[in-house]
Amino acid sequence: MKLMRLGPKGREKPALLDVEGQVRDLSGVIPDLHASMLTPEGLAPLRALQPSSLPIIEQPGRVAPPWAGMGKFVCVGLNYADHAAESGLAVPSEPVLFTKHTSTVIGANDAVVLPQGSVKTDWEVELGVVIGARARYVSVDDALQHVAGYCVVNDVSEREYQIERGGTWDKGKGCDTFGPIGPWLVTADEVADPQQLGMWLEVNGKRYQNGSTRTMVFGVAQLVSYISRFMTLYPGDLISTGTPPGVGMGQKPSPVYLRPRDRMRLGIEGLGEQEQTVHAWNPELIDG
């Protein structure tokens, strides 16, 4: 299934995308798509539906984050060897973990707003892994059984805040609007192999990132298992698994960073596409 939510902030309603590309209204079946519903038991009634029996939404409007109630937004740094190289850093021997605040989360096509004083805001297309069953000290062999599905993530990052402002990555990763996700949550049964997905990102029509999850240092199963040693993962938690090369910071001869009115387009094979316009600081775009 390709599950999604539509509508203005605070008035989102659940929907699904059928095999013919029609958006179908789920609001007569469930009031919303919440993290607590991403368990196998919670998804079972949705799997039993005949999508053709659901009303078509002719004008979907705003594409919201695909589910509500995310508890944790855990990210993996330097998980592609060639991205580590362009960053001037060694390939890690264990996954590098950091968190994005859930206040970063926006819909796939919502505005990305530069924080005050930003000079080095960057882009990162990433595979998102959505947890569907509680995971604590799970084995690599069992890890994928704890995954509800996958989504596209843009791990927007302010590099000056991340690298030059005291040494903690969270400062540059956790700004409001720095976590576009979606457009869909694609359930795990529709992704035959999460390590065989092409991914790309463009800024103003120029392709900067063109990679594949094949080249991850640590694969999805390894990451779910590893992270579950340090924290319990719950349904609706999101793991963003790292980015391939081509970020703005790594451009030669000079880095390229986002400016107001820039447009980002990005996507992952089978998981949909995002498009965001970058805006100067404007709290109304964040709060409205």
Side-chain angles (χ1 to χ4, degrees):
M1 293 182 292
K2 292 181 173 67
L3 300 171
M4 60 193 309
R5 295 165 69 242
L6 303 168
K9 293 179 182 179
R11 301 198 301 276
E12 296 91 344
K13 64 180 182 180
L16 64 78
L17 190 76
D18 69 19
V19 294
E20 296 178 347
Q22 297 274 17
V23 178
R24 300 281 181 166
D25 190 353
L26 279 173
S27 61
V29 180
I30 54 174
D32 200 357
L33 185 63
H34 189 269
S36 61
M37 302 177 63
L38 299 180
T39 63
E41 299 77 14
L43 292 175
L46 301 183
R47 295 187 192 282
L49 293 171
Q50 289 293 333
S52 60
S53 69
L54 300 171
I56 294 174
I57 301 176
E58 298 287 357
Q59 296 180 321
R62 172 182 177 255
V63 178
W67 71 99
M70 182 190 301
K72 290 190 285 293
F73 193 160
V74 185
C75 301
V76 184
L78 306 175
N79 197 31
Y80 290 72
D82 31 16
H83 171 55
E86 72 176 353
S87 302
L89 298 168
V91 176
S93 58
E94 294 189 36
V96 173
L97 304 182
F98 62 93
T99 58
K100 290 177 86 79
H101 312 302
T102 54
S103 55
T104 64
V105 174
I106 59 173
N109 305 323
D110 287 347
V112 168
V113 180
L114 299 175
Q116 292 185 20
S118 169
V119 293
K120 295 182 179 179
T121 294
D122 204 346
W123 56 82
E124 296 187 9
V125 59
E126 305 200 0
L127 173 66
V129 179
V130 187
I131 299 299
R134 191 178 76 162
R136 178 186 292 160
Y137 292 104
V138 300
S139 69
V140 173
D141 288 343
D142 292 339
L144 294 185
Q145 298 178 31
H146 296 262
V147 173
Y150 302 92
C151 63
V152 182
V153 176
N154 188 354
D155 176 19
V156 184
S157 310
E158 216 297 346
R159 302 300 190 188
E160 184 191 41
Y161 296 4
Q162 176 187 354
I163 299 168
E164 303 171 35
R165 298 288 292 273
T168 58
W169 283 21
D170 292 16
K171 292 177 185 175
K173 299 286 191 171
C175 301
D176 294 336
T177 76
F178 273 22
I181 61 173
W184 318 310
L185 186 165
V186 180
T187 52
D189 59 293
E190 291 200 9
V191 179
D193 185 350
Q195 304 305 151
Q196 298 291 329
L197 303 177
M199 55 205 308
W200 56 272
L201 183 145
E202 299 174 350
V203 180
N204 299 329
K206 178 177 178 179
R207 179 78 48 111
Y208 282 95
Q209 292 188 275
N210 198 19
S212 170
T213 59
R214 291 191 305 274
T215 64
M216 282 184 183
V217 178
F218 306 101
V220 171
Q222 290 173 287
L223 292 174
V224 172
S225 174
Y226 183 86
I227 294 168
S228 77
R229 303 178 198 175
F230 300 96
M231 64 194 81
T232 301
L233 296 168
Y234 293 96
D237 287 351
L238 176 64
I239 301 171
S240 197
T241 57
T243 198
V247 300
M249 180 176 64
Q251 298 304 305
K252 307 298 183 192
S254 300
V256 177
Y257 295 115
L258 295 167
R259 296 289 181 261
R261 295 183 294 279
D262 284 347
R263 295 184 69 85
M264 292 179 283
R265 288 186 64 244
L266 57 148
I268 297 179
E269 183 181 353
L271 305 185
E273 297 183 8
Q274 302 182 355
E275 184 169 351
Q276 301 106 27
T277 299
V278 179
H279 293 260
W281 171 253
N282 182 344
E284 292 184 2
L285 291 174
I286 298 170
D287 300 330

